[in-house]
Coordinates of all heavy atoms in Angstrom, one line a residue:
G960 N 14.3 10.6 -15.5 CA 13.6 11.4 -14.5 C 14.0 12.9 -14.6 O 13.2 13.8 -14.6
H961 N 15.3 13.1 -14.7 CA 15.8 14.5 -14.8 C 15.4 15.2 -16.1 O 15.0 16.3 -16.2 CB 17.3 14.6 -14.6 CG 17.7 14.5 -13.2 ND1 17.5 15.5 -12.3 CD2 18.4 13.5 -12.5 CE1 18.0 15.1 -11.1 NE2 18.6 13.9 -11.2
V962 N 15.4 14.4 -17.2 CA 15.0 14.9 -18.5 C 13.5 15.2 -18.4 O 13.1 16.3 -18.9 CB 15.3 13.9 -19.6 CG1 14.6 14.3 -20.9 CG2 16.8 13.8 -19.8
A963 N 12.7 14.4 -17.8 CA 11.3 14.6 -17.7 C 11.0 15.8 -16.9 O 10.1 16.6 -17.3 CB 10.6 13.4 -17.1
L964 N 11.7 16.0 -15.8 CA 11.4 17.3 -15.0 C 11.7 18.5 -15.8 O 11.0 19.5 -15.7 CB 12.3 17.2 -13.7 CG 11.7 16.4 -12.6 CD1 12.7 16.4 -11.4 CD2 10.4 16.9 -12.2
N965 N 12.8 18.5 -16.6 CA 13.2 19.6 -17.4 C 12.1 19.9 -18.5 O 11.7 21.0 -18.7 CB 14.5 19.4 -18.1 CG 15.1 20.6 -18.7 OD1 14.7 21.7 -18.5 ND2 16.0 20.4 -19.6
Q966 N 11.6 18.8 -19.1 CA 10.6 19.0 -20.2 C 9.3 19.5 -19.6 O 8.6 20.3 -20.2 CB 10.4 17.7 -20.9 CG 11.5 17.2 -21.8 CD 11.2 15.9 -22.4 OE1 10.3 15.2 -22.1 NE2 12.1 15.5 -23.4
I967 N 9.0 19.0 -18.4 CA 7.7 19.4 -17.7 C 7.8 20.9 -17.4 O 6.8 21.6 -17.6 CB 7.5 18.6 -16.5 CG1 7.1 17.1 -16.9 CG2 6.4 19.2 -15.6 CD1 7.1 16.2 -15.7
Q968 N 8.9 21.4 -17.0 CA 9.0 22.8 -16.7 C 9.0 23.6 -17.9 O 8.3 24.7 -18.0 CB 10.3 23.0 -15.9 CG 10.5 24.5 -15.5 CD 11.8 24.7 -14.7 OE1 12.7 23.8 -14.7 NE2 11.9 25.8 -14.1
Q969 N 9.6 23.2 -19.0 CA 9.7 24.0 -20.2 C 8.3 24.0 -20.9 O 7.9 25.0 -21.5 CB 10.7 23.4 -21.2 CG 12.1 23.7 -20.7 CD 13.2 23.2 -21.6 OE1 12.9 22.4 -22.5 NE2 14.4 23.5 -21.4
R970 N 7.6 22.9 -20.9 CA 6.4 22.7 -21.7 C 5.1 22.9 -20.9 O 4.0 22.8 -21.5 CB 6.4 21.3 -22.4 CG 7.6 21.0 -23.3 CD 7.5 19.6 -23.8 NE 8.7 19.3 -24.6 CZ 8.9 18.1 -25.0 NH1 8.1 17.1 -24.7 NH2 10.0 17.8 -25.7
S971 N 5.2 23.1 -19.6 CA 4.1 23.2 -18.7 C 3.2 22.0 -18.8 O 2.0 22.1 -19.0 CB 3.3 24.5 -19.1 OG 4.1 25.6 -18.9
E972 N 3.8 20.8 -18.8 CA 3.0 19.6 -18.9 C 2.8 19.0 -17.5 O 3.4 19.5 -16.5 CB 3.8 18.5 -19.7 CG 3.9 18.9 -21.2 CD 4.7 17.9 -22.0 OE1 5.6 17.3 -21.5 OE2 4.3 17.7 -23.1
R973 N 2.0 18.0 -17.4 CA 1.8 17.3 -16.1 C 2.8 16.1 -16.0 O 3.4 15.8 -17.0 CB 0.4 16.8 -16.0 CG -0.7 17.9 -16.0 CD -2.1 17.4 -15.9 NE -2.4 16.5 -17.0 CZ -3.2 15.5 -16.9 NH1 -3.8 15.2 -15.7 NH2 -3.5 14.7 -17.9
G974 N 2.8 15.5 -14.9 CA 3.6 14.3 -14.7 C 4.8 14.5 -13.8 O 5.7 13.6 -13.7
R975 N 4.8 15.6 -13.1 CA 5.9 15.9 -12.1 C 6.0 14.8 -11.1 O 7.1 14.4 -10.7 CB 5.7 17.2 -11.5 CG 6.8 17.7 -10.6 CD 6.6 19.2 -10.2 NE 7.5 19.5 -9.2 CZ 8.7 19.9 -9.4 NH1 9.2 20.0 -10.6 NH2 9.5 20.3 -8.4
A976 N 4.9 14.3 -10.6 CA 4.9 13.3 -9.5 C 5.5 12.0 -10.1 O 6.3 11.3 -9.3 CB 3.5 13.0 -9.0
F977 N 5.3 11.6 -11.3 CA 5.9 10.4 -11.9 C 7.4 10.6 -12.0 O 8.1 9.7 -11.7 CB 5.3 10.2 -13.3 CG 3.9 9.7 -13.4 CD1 3.0 10.3 -14.2 CD2 3.6 8.5 -12.7 CE1 1.7 9.8 -14.3 CE2 2.3 8.0 -12.8 CZ 1.4 8.7 -13.6
A978 N 7.8 11.8 -12.4 CA 9.3 12.0 -12.6 C 10.0 12.0 -11.2 O 11.0 11.4 -11.1 CB 9.5 13.3 -13.3
I979 N 9.4 12.6 -10.2 CA 10.0 12.7 -8.9 C 10.0 11.3 -8.3 O 11.0 10.9 -7.7 CB 9.3 13.7 -8.0 CG1 9.6 15.1 -8.5 CG2 9.7 13.6 -6.6 CD1 8.9 16.2 -7.8
G980 N 8.9 10.6 -8.4 CA 8.9 9.2 -7.9 C 10.0 8.3 -8.6 O 10.6 7.5 -7.9
A981 N 10.2 8.5 -9.9 CA 11.2 7.7 -10.6 C 12.6 8.1 -10.0 O 13.4 7.2 -9.8 CB 11.1 7.9 -12.1
L982 N 12.8 9.4 -9.8 CA 14.1 9.8 -9.3 C 14.3 9.3 -7.9 O 15.4 8.8 -7.5 CB 14.1 11.3 -9.2 CG 14.3 12.0 -10.6 CD1 14.2 13.5 -10.4 CD2 15.7 11.7 -11.1
V983 N 13.3 9.2 -7.0 CA 13.5 8.7 -5.7 C 13.8 7.2 -5.8 O 14.8 6.7 -5.1 CB 12.2 8.9 -4.9 CG1 12.2 8.0 -3.6 CG2 12.0 10.3 -4.5
V984 N 13.2 6.5 -6.6 CA 13.5 5.0 -6.8 C 14.9 4.9 -7.4 O 15.7 4.0 -6.9 CB 12.4 4.3 -7.7 CG1 12.9 2.9 -8.1 CG2 11.1 4.3 -7.0
G985 N 15.2 5.6 -8.4 CA 16.5 5.5 -9.0 C 17.7 5.8 -8.1 O 18.6 5.0 -8.0
Y986 N 17.6 6.9 -7.4 CA 18.6 7.3 -6.4 C 18.6 6.3 -5.2 O 19.7 6.0 -4.7 CB 18.4 8.7 -5.9 CG 19.0 9.7 -6.9 CD1 18.2 10.7 -7.5 CD2 20.3 9.7 -7.2 CE1 18.7 11.7 -8.3 CE2 20.8 10.7 -8.1 CZ 20.0 11.6 -8.7 OH 20.5 12.6 -9.5
G987 N 17.5 5.8 -4.8 CA 17.4 4.9 -3.7 C 18.1 3.6 -4.1 O 18.9 3.0 -3.3
I988 N 17.9 3.1 -5.3 CA 18.5 1.8 -5.7 C 20.0 2.1 -5.8 O 20.9 1.3 -5.5 CB 17.9 1.3 -7.0 CG1 16.5 0.8 -6.8 CG2 18.8 0.2 -7.6 CD1 15.8 0.4 -8.0
G989 N 20.4 3.3 -6.3 CA 21.8 3.6 -6.4 C 22.5 3.6 -5.1 O 23.6 3.1 -4.9
I990 N 21.9 4.2 -4.1 CA 22.4 4.3 -2.7 C 22.5 2.8 -2.1 O 23.6 2.5 -1.5 CB 21.6 5.2 -1.8 CG1 21.8 6.6 -2.2 CG2 22.0 5.0 -0.4 CD1 20.8 7.6 -1.6
L991 N 21.5 2.0 -2.3 CA 21.5 0.6 -1.9 C 22.7 -0.1 -2.6 O 23.4 -0.9 -1.9 CB 20.2 -0.1 -2.1 CG 19.1 0.3 -1.2 CD1 17.8 -0.4 -1.7 CD2 19.4 -0.1 0.2
S992 N 22.8 0.1 -3.9 CA 23.9 -0.6 -4.6 C 25.3 -0.2 -4.1 O 26.2 -1.0 -4.0 CB 23.8 -0.3 -6.1 OG 22.5 -0.8 -6.5
L993 N 25.4 1.1 -3.9 CA 26.7 1.6 -3.4 C 27.0 1.1 -2.0 O 28.2 0.6 -1.8 CB 26.7 3.2 -3.4 CG 28.0 3.8 -2.9 CD1 29.2 3.5 -3.8 CD2 27.8 5.3 -2.8
G994 N 26.1 1.1 -1.2 CA 26.2 0.5 0.2 C 26.6 -0.9 0.1 O 27.5 -1.4 0.9

Side-chain angles (χ1 to χ4, degrees):
H961 281 292
V962 169
L964 281 178
N965 189 20
Q966 289 178 354
I967 288 167
Q968 183 179 13
Q969 288 178 351
R970 301 177 187 172
S971 299
E972 293 178 325
R973 296 182 301 149
R975 184 173 169 82
F977 287 129
I979 291 174
L982 285 172
V983 167
V984 169
Y986 279 120
I988 291 174
I990 290 169
L991 286 174
S992 299
L993 179 63

